[in-house]
Amino acid sequence: MNDLEKFLRKLGLEQYAEVLAENDVDLEVLPHVSDDDLKELGFSIGHRRKLLAALREMASAEESEPFSAGPEGETANKDDKPVEEHADRRQLTVLFCDLSGSTELSEKLDPEDLRDVMRRYHDVVAEAVTTHEGHVAKFLGDGVLAYFGWPHAKEAQSEMALRAALAATQAVSKIEAAGKALAARAGLATGPVVIGDLMGETAHESGAVVGAVPSLAARLQDLAKPGQVVIDEMTKRVVGGSFELEEGGKARLKGFATPKPFWRVKSAIRASSRFEAQHGDSLTQFVGRAHELGLLKDRCAQAKNGEGQVVLISGEAGIGKSRILREFIASLEEGEQTVLRYQCSPHEVNAAFHSVIAEMEASAGFLSDDSAEARLDKLEHHLEGILGDSAIAATLVAGLLTLPTDRYPSLEMTPQRRRQLTIELLSERIAKLAAKRPVIMLIEDIHWIDASSLELIDAIVDRMDTLPILVVITHRPEFGSRWNGYGHVTFHSLNRLGRNDGKAMTERITGGKALPDQVSIRILEQTDGIPLFV
């Protein structure tokens, strides 16, 4: 048995060993295989998720593990040096997940059956955590403790933690035992901790957390009802408007001197703009970037005259790419153009057409409490106004939006043909919209785009040079250059703010109140021209 077969067997996926070998996928290639690749190889949704989660966990362990197992399984460092205590100060989001009614369950089930139920419960919670790039720290009986932000700090780690908690409670609800579905509840808290190895005379704990945050998360879990997720004030502040929340008031929690406000998490919100969801109206007055705004306005004028334009704005995180888009759209006359927003997400890189689906739902006017039938009616009305009465279009797009299609004739075609026809249809929709009035497409964070949405963007760029369409794309420097050979494509790299702009920004943040010179100099030096850091 080779290494790949051993790895798959540990995951219960040994049935895929042959198909992977036939496609020259070994253990070295496997970490680079995408969700789309696995889908093409015949992996089910659950098995794809399990394998990708295991690969992420393995990569994280390889990056963070400073020690290797000795011949007898003992832990030793590679140089056989004594283990040293090490700790870091971090901001973490801590998740406590607990199985509701576990005591009652233990009275109804045989111990061996209970063990099997607990194993399945731990597995689905751990999978939700690792899928969302968290770290399972401990299994505590019927509880699971997980960290987001350690061993590696992650962008949007609090958002990932909430998504993991929602996924975990949903997954647990699908497990049945003693004649009824299980239910989990979760508490999350965010804040500074010290995390590392605690070394004592007779005990050693790796990855121990010291601080109030874990205790707060545990107490918040106690406030949650079965199936609920409860968060603290700091987590709410960090995730912004990315989730639908219900205010819970203030609660007196054991071990805390003052009552703590808390919120119940109802669902994730598919935001049209990640920037807007996080910041809302809490923004400072816009500073600088006159050249960039001028560039966008110039390309917009060209597009409105029938010379389609694409502008790619590159820059590191926090440098102000999304803020420029906001100011540009605010400068336009309302109603003179159709604005379509496509927000790419690090959580949905493997979800086909994710950003396109979100734009379609917004354009069709979907509401969170709409029934499936109401959504279908709205979708039909939207498509008829653009493409005319087309059963094929309605069937394809309804399927894309996971709506029932039984009111339409079934389409007999291969998945490849369906995908190709869907891209052609979506591209034609944009062109027809542009025939009515100019279209501005805002594609944010394209470095996180899924492969299917990127294929659609390719199709639009190919045909838009004679259409009144402006496509503005933001991305980080790691996004590979595309469309270099097109005359209607402009590339612009966003520089950091100069010292004068940085100083002006600090003055506007303080409301014109002068800061001591030493404080002002330190802010400018440490933020180094990144607006978000200022």
Side-chain angles (χ1 to χ4, degrees):
M1 184 183 296
N2 61 35
D3 290 342
L4 177 61
E5 290 174 335
K6 291 178 182 177
F7 177 72
L8 293 173
R9 184 176 291 278
K10 287 181 181 179
L11 301 175
L13 302 176
E14 61 272 16
Q15 66 268 36
Y16 296 105
E18 185 175 347
V19 69
L20 290 172
E22 289 174 354
N23 287 272
D24 299 319
V25 178
D26 56 19
L27 202 54
E28 183 179 351
V29 174
L30 191 61
H32 306 287
V33 171
S34 70
D35 184 70
D36 286 341
D37 293 332
L38 296 176
K39 186 176 181 181
E40 190 173 332
L41 292 172
F43 280 66
S44 67
I45 294 175
H47 289 166
R48 295 202 305 272
R49 293 290 177 264
K50 179 182 286 189
L51 179 56
L52 291 170
L55 291 172
R56 278 192 291 268
E57 184 73 9
M58 184 171 69
S60 177
E62 287 175 353
E63 291 176 12
S64 62
E65 182 60 61
F67 308 108
S68 60
E72 300 298 324
E74 76 275 10
T75 299
N77 65 13
K78 293 179 180 178
D79 298 320
D80 291 330
K81 295 178 181 178
V83 176
E84 295 182 1
E85 183 175 352
H86 177 72
D88 291 323
R89 183 180 178 89
R90 294 282 186 96
Q91 173 155 305
L92 289 190
T93 295
V94 175
L95 162 65
F96 260 100
C97 186
D98 160 78
L99 182 62
S100 301
S102 59
T103 302
E104 179 186 352
L105 196 63
S106 67
E107 293 180 344
K108 294 181 178 180
L109 294 178
D110 179 85
E112 289 188 2
D113 294 332
L114 178 63
R115 180 178 181 274
D116 182 60
V117 170
M118 295 302 295
R119 180 187 59 78
R120 285 188 287 156
Y121 158 70
H122 285 149
D123 282 348
V124 298
V125 175
E127 182 176 358
V129 170
T130 55
T131 297
H132 292 85
E133 301 184 36
H135 170 74
V136 177
K138 290 180 183 177
F139 294 115
L140 305 166
D142 62 355
V144 180
L145 170 65
Y147 305 148
F148 291 79
W150 188 88
H152 303 292
K154 299 284 185 180
E155 184 175 0
Q157 60 197 37
S158 297
E159 182 180 343
M160 299 288 263
L162 262 68
R163 290 178 181 273
L166 291 172
T169 53
Q170 184 179 13
V172 171
S173 71
K174 296 177 181 178
I175 302 174
E176 289 194 3
K180 67 176 185 178
L182 300 185
R185 53 184 185 162
L188 296 97
T190 300
V193 302
V194 172
I195 183 167
D197 298 338
L198 283 180
M199 309 293 293
E201 291 285 339
T202 59
H204 166 216
E205 182 178 357
S206 178
V209 168
V210 177
V213 175
S215 298
L216 180 56
R219 298 290 177 250
L220 292 173
Q221 173 198 263
D222 293 338
L223 298 178
K225 296 178 181 178
Q228 280 189 347
V229 177
V230 172
I231 63 173
D232 72 327
E233 185 174 20
M234 178 61 78
T235 306
K236 174 186 178 293
R237 187 193 311 172
V238 172
V239 300
S242 300
F243 294 83
E244 184 180 356
L245 305 176
E246 177 185 296
E247 189 171 358
K250 292 186 176 183
R252 289 194 172 277
L253 304 176
K254 182 179 178 180
F256 292 88
T258 59
K260 297 292 184 181
F262 67 95
W263 286 261
R264 300 181 184 91
V265 183
K266 300 183 73 174
S267 63
I269 295 174
R270 185 172 271 171
S272 60
S273 169
R274 185 166 166 263
F275 179 81
E276 298 289 349
Q278 291 179 341
H279 299 284
D281 295 324
S282 59
L283 293 169
T284 61
Q285 189 174 346
F286 191 60
V287 170
R289 306 303 191 197
H291 173 70
E292 286 76 14
L293 284 178
L295 172 66
L296 290 177
K297 290 177 181 179
D298 175 73
R299 297 300 186 269
C300 184
Q302 286 183 253
K304 288 183 176 181
N305 287 328
E307 300 177 21
Q309 298 290 314
V310 181
V311 180
L312 289 98
I313 300 176
S314 170
E316 57 197 303
I319 203 167
K321 302 182 295 294
S322 295
R323 183 65 190 272
I324 289 171
L325 296 194
R326 176 182 171 125
E327 297 301 320
F328 167 61
I329 294 301
S331 71
L332 301 176
E333 289 291 332
E334 191 172 351
E336 288 190 357
Q337 55 275 313
T338 299
V339 179
L340 305 177
R341 290 182 175 272
Y342 301 84
Q343 176 62 68
C344 306
S345 167
H347 320 298
E348 307 290 350
V349 173
N350 295 316
F353 293 110
H354 167 74
S355 55
V356 177
I357 290 170
E359 181 271 304
M360 291 285 293
E361 290 179 343
S363 295
F366 286 7
L367 300 176
S368 59
D369 56 353
D370 280 345
S371 66
E373 289 299 312
R375 292 186 173 214
L376 266 180
D377 292 339
K378 289 182 177 181
L379 179 62
E380 285 181 356
H381 177 74
H382 173 74
L383 293 175
E384 286 175 9
I386 302 170
L387 300 170
D389 186 6
S390 170
I392 293 179
T395 305
L396 287 172
V397 178
L400 188 65
L401 273 57
T402 63
L403 294 173
T405 57
D406 48 4
R407 66 168 72 172
Y408 311 116
S410 60
L411 299 177
E412 299 297 333
M413 61 180 69
T414 65
Q416 292 81 3
R417 176 57 183 158
R418 177 181 287 269
R419 175 188 173 93
Q420 180 186 0
L421 198 57
T422 299
I423 289 172
E424 291 174 0
L425 171 71
L426 294 172
S427 175
E428 183 63 18
R429 169 179 171 263
I430 300 297
K432 290 288 182 68
L433 281 172
K436 296 183 176 184
R437 60 179 178 179
V439 168
I440 297 177
M441 299 174 64
L442 305 179
I443 305 170
E444 296 193 59
D445 299 322
I446 199 173
H447 47 275
W448 288 323
I449 197 168
D450 62 274
S452 300
S453 296
L454 184 56
E455 194 172 339
L456 172 62
I457 302 304
D458 280 333
I460 291 170
V461 173
D462 278 342
R463 64 181 296 187
M464 61 171 284
D465 57 329
T466 58
L467 294 172
I469 300 175
L470 171 65
V471 178
V472 185
I473 298 170
T474 66
H475 66 91
R476 294 185 186 172
E478 61 264 27
F479 179 70
S481 61
R482 294 178 78 89
W483 314 300
N484 289 328
Y486 292 86
H488 58 287
V489 176
T490 302
F491 300 90
H492 181 76
S493 181
L494 204 58
N495 294 322
R496 299 187 178 197
L497 289 178
R499 292 185 68 85
N500 289 336
D501 284 336
K503 186 177 181 181
M505 189 173 180
T506 60
E507 290 173 353
R508 292 178 183 183
I509 291 171
T510 62
K513 183 179 179 180
L515 293 173
D517 288 342
Q518 286 185 329
V519 174
S520 181
I521 290 170
R522 184 180 179 190
I523 290 172
L524 294 176
E525 287 179 348
Q526 291 198 284
T527 57
D528 198 21
I530 303 292
L532 178 64
F533 297 167
V534 176

